[in-house]
Amino acid sequence: MTDASGASNSTAGTLYVVATPIGNLDDISARALKILSDVALIAAEDTRHSVRLLQHFGINTPLAACHEHNERDEGNRFITRLQAGDSVALISDAGTPLISDPGYHLVRQARAAGIAVVPVPGACALIAALSAAGLPSDRFIFEGFLPAKAVGRKSRLSQLKEEPRTLIFYEAPHRILECLQDMESVFGADRPALLARELTKTFETLKGLPLAELRAFVEADSNQQRGECVVLVAGWVAPEDEQAVSAEVMRVLDLLLAEMPLKRAAALAAEITGVRKNVLYQVALEKQKGE
Ligand code: SAM
């Protein structure tokens, strides 16, 4: 095992980053169970929560807290144990550690100290949702939780309006309706979307609809405003006319739009670039509507 500078720490233990289930306990892997039984210590986001999981599988490994409030300061304690030769498993309350969960600082500290960090993959809500959503999965971005307040949320969504990759968000149930309302107003009523709720659990629901219909579905049924959820939204597809306009032509049009009225800008941009005036006029109109 080597750190970034090539130094190695061959007597140290290993930090295992272990995924745990997001609902259905059968989703834990045989390898995860073996590692959780074999390590000297389990660093857990919430020890009271994780003790129930471990008891279920008959695992008695000692637990120590590693959560967002102590991770930076207490990280050294885990590093000292690892350097002394003990292996440690890092787990969060559910799913994959570090994915909207603690662990980042500990992993960084361990790697900097030349300690081997080994992933033990398993459940992750965003990947489970994407795998069954039927939205483009070749390129996607994970945005985690949106800001809780409306102004921040809308501003973040506006930044993502023309993002062509599939968008994935985590959301708290008490904010799901507001979140879908804001998505509808920013991304448009027709943008395909999917709500993945209570994945792997009894009331698992995957509902794929255009945003306005999805918002109406959730609004009409308060059960849809409960439980854990992932929201996926299809990426932006440029209108056909805009697709025909290259980035360079757009740059010219944007520069002119900043200096003169829309009609004049479209006419002048057409003269400069050779693209039809009507096409540029429509593109400029669309752009202004979206701003
Ligand atoms: N580390 C976890 C993972 O790998 O997915 C995520 C932890 S984050 C604190 C919790 C959020 O993940 C929830 O608010 C929800 O958005 C999503 N989530 C977790 N479990 C889920 C489930 N069973 N169904 C749907 N979403 C879930």
Side-chain angles (χ1 to χ4, degrees):
M1 68 205 82
T2 56
D3 66 9
S5 64
S8 71
N9 194 344
S10 56
T11 55
T14 297
L15 175 64
Y16 295 99
V17 183
V18 181
T20 56
I22 55 170
N24 189 326
L25 295 186
D26 287 348
D27 287 338
I28 198 150
S29 73
R31 181 171 172 232
L33 289 177
K34 181 165 182 350
I35 286 168
L36 292 173
S37 301
D38 290 352
V39 290
L41 183 68
I42 297 175
E45 180 183 5
D46 178 346
T47 52
R48 283 169 306 173
H49 175 96
S50 293
V51 87
R52 292 196 289 273
L53 175 84
L54 299 172
Q55 271 170 0
H56 176 87
F57 291 109
I59 295 170
N60 300 310
T61 308
L63 285 159
C66 177
H67 45 69
E68 59 176 332
H69 303 296
N70 76 350
E71 193 191 337
R72 272 173 205 255
D73 302 333
E74 298 286 308
N76 280 339
R77 210 157 47 98
F78 297 112
I79 300 296
T80 305
R81 289 287 298 263
L82 286 155
Q83 281 170 331
D86 286 336
S87 287
V88 175
L90 170 68
I91 60 174
S92 62
D93 287 355
T96 303
L98 280 80
I99 307 301
S100 294
D101 266 343
Y104 167 72
H105 296 289
L106 179 58
V107 166
R108 272 191 74 92
Q109 273 177 289
R111 291 186 64 83
I115 288 160
V117 182
V118 172
V120 183
C124 180
L126 78 104
I127 298 298
L130 181 66
S131 71
L135 291 171
S137 53
D138 50 344
R139 297 196 317 149
F140 61 89
I141 60 165
F142 173 55
E143 279 289 316
F145 288 94
L146 285 164
K149 295 205 176 119
V151 176
R153 186 167 55 235
K154 276 195 182 151
S155 149
R156 178 77 56 80
L157 290 172
S158 300
Q159 288 163 20
L160 295 166
K161 188 176 172 198
E162 295 191 357
E163 167 57 59
R165 293 167 290 185
T166 296
L167 298 149
I168 308 179
F169 305 89
Y170 283 167
E171 191 49 280
H174 60 280
R175 276 198 290 270
I176 187 66
L177 186 56
E178 289 171 61
C179 167
L180 289 172
Q181 282 164 344
D182 287 347
M183 286 178 169
E184 179 185 348
S185 79
V186 174
F187 296 145
D190 301 330
R191 184 85 74 95
L194 181 130
L195 174 67
R197 214 174 54 79
E198 293 289 89
L199 290 167
T200 78
K201 305 187 205 178
T202 311
F203 296 106
E204 179 178 84
T205 311
L206 286 104
K207 192 78 177 170
L209 286 170
L211 272 171
E213 290 174 48
L214 188 59
R215 188 260 313 137
F217 168 75
V218 170
E219 201 163 21
D221 178 1
S222 60
N223 284 327
Q224 302 304 326
Q225 297 164 38
R226 298 203 178 105
E228 299 194 279
C229 45
V230 184
V231 181
L232 295 93
V233 181
W236 183 71
V237 179
E240 255 174 47
D241 274 353
E242 260 182 64
Q243 284 175 8
V245 174
S246 72
E248 185 50 28
V249 172
M250 273 314 284
R251 201 177 71 82
V252 172
L253 184 60
D254 282 342
L255 286 173
L256 294 172
L257 279 170
E259 301 296 330
M260 59 191 74
L262 188 147
K263 208 168 162 188
R264 178 84 192 108
L268 201 52
E271 260 181 58
I272 297 169
T273 63
V275 176
R276 278 194 305 123
K277 190 167 71 185
N278 282 353
V279 170
L280 293 181
Y281 184 74
Q282 282 307 324
V283 170
L285 264 187
E286 284 298 321
K287 212 175 144 50
Q288 276 196 346
K289 265 196 256 160
E291 278 167 2

